[in-house]
Amino acid sequence: MRNQFLFSVLVATLGTSACDQPTQPGGPSLSVQQLGGGGLLVTGGGQFEHPTLGAVTFSVSGVQDASGKASGRFQQHWRFADVTFKGDVTCLAVDPVNRRVWVGGVLTHSTDPDPNPDFQPGGDAWFRGLDVPPGGEPDRLTFLGFRGSAGIETSEEYCQVRLWADNNDRTWPVTGDLTIH
């Protein structure tokens, strides 16, 4: 019951955590040719601290091949609610100019006690991150978003729309690393 309450507070607090504005329509996207025809690779792991809710650990390893098909794995553990989500990557989008990445997929594991199918295996989930060049500010990451967050219904839609909030709002500094290869 406590976890359901904490999760409800999280959804109410961060219900639009996916963000406010899409990147510029027709804005930059990473073409596989820019990576020598081999595709796109995003990797990372570590934790970020939400100022109210506390620590979240994460890991991601996603690849998009030359045909645009994405695969890989992601995980977030929300310590404040002792909930873990794991999933398979099904889409990636990158803004190489601003070093932003959007990752979406399908949950394969959830310890969330909420029976809502959106938070259970088979539900779509997504997040976004910022890969800051070495020597700059820390990389940044978001909580997972789920169906209905900021009006998004699927992971694929999330990767296509590429929402981003002004001033990197609702992303948190990462202790660890997020890298767009």
Side-chain angles (χ1 to χ4, degrees), residues 74-93:
F74 64 87
Q75 175 176 320
Q76 282 194 8
H77 177 75
W78 300 351
R79 290 189 198 168
F80 59 90
D82 195 24
V83 171
T84 299
F85 297 98
K86 297 179 184 180
D88 289 333
V89 173
T90 59
C91 69
L92 294 172

Side-chain angles (χ1 to χ4, degrees), residues 58-80:
F58 76 94
S59 64
V60 60
S61 179
V63 63
Q64 185 178 60
D65 66 22
S67 72
K69 181 175 171 33
S71 61
R73 302 278 300 151
F74 64 87
Q75 175 176 320
Q76 282 194 8
H77 177 75
W78 300 351
R79 290 189 198 168
F80 59 90

Side-chain angles (χ1 to χ4, degrees), residues 40-60:
L40 164 68
L41 177 64
V42 176
T43 59
Q47 80 172 31
F48 60 90
E49 188 86 18
H50 182 277
T52 304
L53 301 173
V56 175
T57 58
F58 76 94
S59 64
V60 60

